[in-house]
Amino acid sequence: MASDPESGDKAAPGDEFGQVDNRDQLVRALQQLPMRMRTVVVLRYFHDLSDTEIAADMGISPSTVRSQLARGIEKLRSQIPVLSAPSPRQHTEGIR
């Protein structure tokens, strides 16, 4: 069963087709971001670089990295509502 972004349904952990749909949706949303913003998001979340490393690679300041990252994530969340929903892990954090 594929995920339905409008209903907030997520692909089941073993649902390979749903995972492909989610990945395709993410790639399409990333392509809508301006180049610099997309680059910052990809370097942070796909390559796990720090603000300082990204800033050095791109020739911009770390504060510009942070602002581009915040704006990029905001735009992605508005395009993909499933990304805005808390993960099951977040629901249990802090509960004892």
Side-chain angles (χ1 to χ4, degrees), residues 11-49:
D15 181 7
E16 292 177 19
F17 293 110
Q19 291 172 1
V20 169
D21 286 345
N22 290 342
R23 184 175 300 143
D24 181 59
Q25 191 176 24
L26 177 59
V27 168
R28 288 175 190 265
L30 280 167
Q31 290 173 340
Q32 299 302 311
L33 297 178
M35 180 61 80
R36 182 163 70 170
M37 191 178 290
R38 179 181 349 152
T39 302
V40 168
V41 170
V42 168
L43 289 175
R44 168 56 58 81
Y45 291 104
F46 290 84
H47 295 283
D48 203 27
L49 297 181

Side-chain angles (χ1 to χ4, degrees), residues 5-92:
E6 292 187 20
S7 70
D9 293 340
K10 294 182 181 179
D15 181 7
E16 292 177 19
F17 293 110
Q19 291 172 1
V20 169
D21 286 345
N22 290 342
R23 184 175 300 143
D24 181 59
Q25 191 176 24
L26 177 59
V27 168
R28 288 175 190 265
L30 280 167
Q31 290 173 340
Q32 299 302 311
L33 297 178
M35 180 61 80
R36 182 163 70 170
M37 191 178 290
R38 179 181 349 152
T39 302
V40 168
V41 170
V42 168
L43 289 175
R44 168 56 58 81
Y45 291 104
F46 290 84
H47 295 283
D48 203 27
L49 297 181
S50 70
D51 293 348
T52 306
E53 292 170 317
I54 295 168
D57 285 351
M58 295 181 67
I60 58 177
S61 71
S63 62
T64 300
V65 169
R66 289 188 294 274
S67 69
Q68 291 291 299
L69 185 61
R71 289 182 184 136
I73 295 303
E74 183 179 322
K75 285 185 177 194
L76 289 174
R77 284 184 175 148
S78 72
Q79 291 178 22
I80 308 175
V82 173
L83 293 178
S84 299
S87 70
R89 180 184 214 181
Q90 290 173 323
H91 285 297
T92 59

